[in-house]
Amino acid sequence: MDIKLIKQVVDLMKRSDISEFEFEEDGFKLRLSSKGADAPQIIHAAAPVAAAAPAPATAAPAAAAAAPAAEEKGISIIKSPMVGTFYRAASPESPAFANVGTKVGNDSIVCIIEAMKVMNEIQAEMSGVVTEVLVENGEAVEYGQPLFKIKTA
């Protein structure tokens, strides 16, 4: 879980009547509790060592694959702006926002990332043609993870 998201939850707790917040995902547990007017305190935040060990092993090949892509002339990468679940379409019945060969502009929606039960539309923020989709539908993504390769004009 991103520290920015934790700070947002703490701010929300300060502004509302929420006295406890608990979150668990992929073995990571976070529990915040507020007592009276005091600021929320982290009671428990832990990620098991066994769950953390495979993550660097998978992240290393992704980083290695991203390095040559960045060196390709005219190829840019759309990266995930947040941690969440990647969806190529608005619903299972809908067509994908972006496939290989799709022309995109700065405001084109290329995917949705679900984070904390909120569907976030991700824009290309560049113009070009999608040359590769790097993530499978329904897959968990990390902040900064490459999602698409775009051939820019």
Side-chain angles (χ1 to χ4, degrees):
M1 183 172 206
D2 189 288
I3 190 72
K4 187 176 179 181
L5 289 174
I6 294 172
K7 286 181 181 180
Q8 289 175 345
V9 171
V10 169
D11 289 340
L12 177 66
M13 288 177 71
K14 285 179 183 177
R15 289 179 282 149
S16 68
D17 292 332
I18 299 172
S19 61
E20 287 193 36
F21 174 82
E22 202 166 329
F23 176 79
E24 183 175 348
E25 182 179 62
D26 298 330
F28 175 81
K29 294 180 184 180
L30 173 69
R31 182 169 179 235
L32 301 172
S33 178
S34 170
K35 293 182 176 137
D38 296 354
Q41 299 176 348
I42 297 177
I43 293 178
H44 179 73
V49 177
T58 15
E71 294 174 5
E72 295 177 44
K73 287 191 176 188
I75 299 291
S76 296
I77 296 182
I78 297 175
K79 296 180 181 179
S80 177
M82 64 188 68
V83 175
T85 304
F86 174 87
Y87 295 107
R88 294 189 60 194
S91 71
E93 300 82 30
S94 300
F97 290 113
N99 290 310
V100 173
T102 302
K103 291 183 182 180
V104 295
N106 290 339
D107 297 334
S108 299
I109 297 170
V110 292
C111 66
I112 291 177
I113 296 182
E114 177 188 4
M116 297 180 71
K117 304 292 182 196
V118 176
M119 299 298 190
N120 301 282
E121 294 179 338
I122 308 304
Q123 296 178 336
E125 297 181 355
M126 63 182 74
S127 296
V129 177
V130 176
T131 60
E132 190 175 350
V133 180
L134 303 170
V135 182
E136 293 296 320
N137 195 45
E139 188 175 313
V141 293
E142 297 293 326
Y143 173 80
Q145 179 177 341
L147 304 174
F148 297 91
K149 285 186 182 180
I150 306 292
K151 181 173 175 93
T152 53

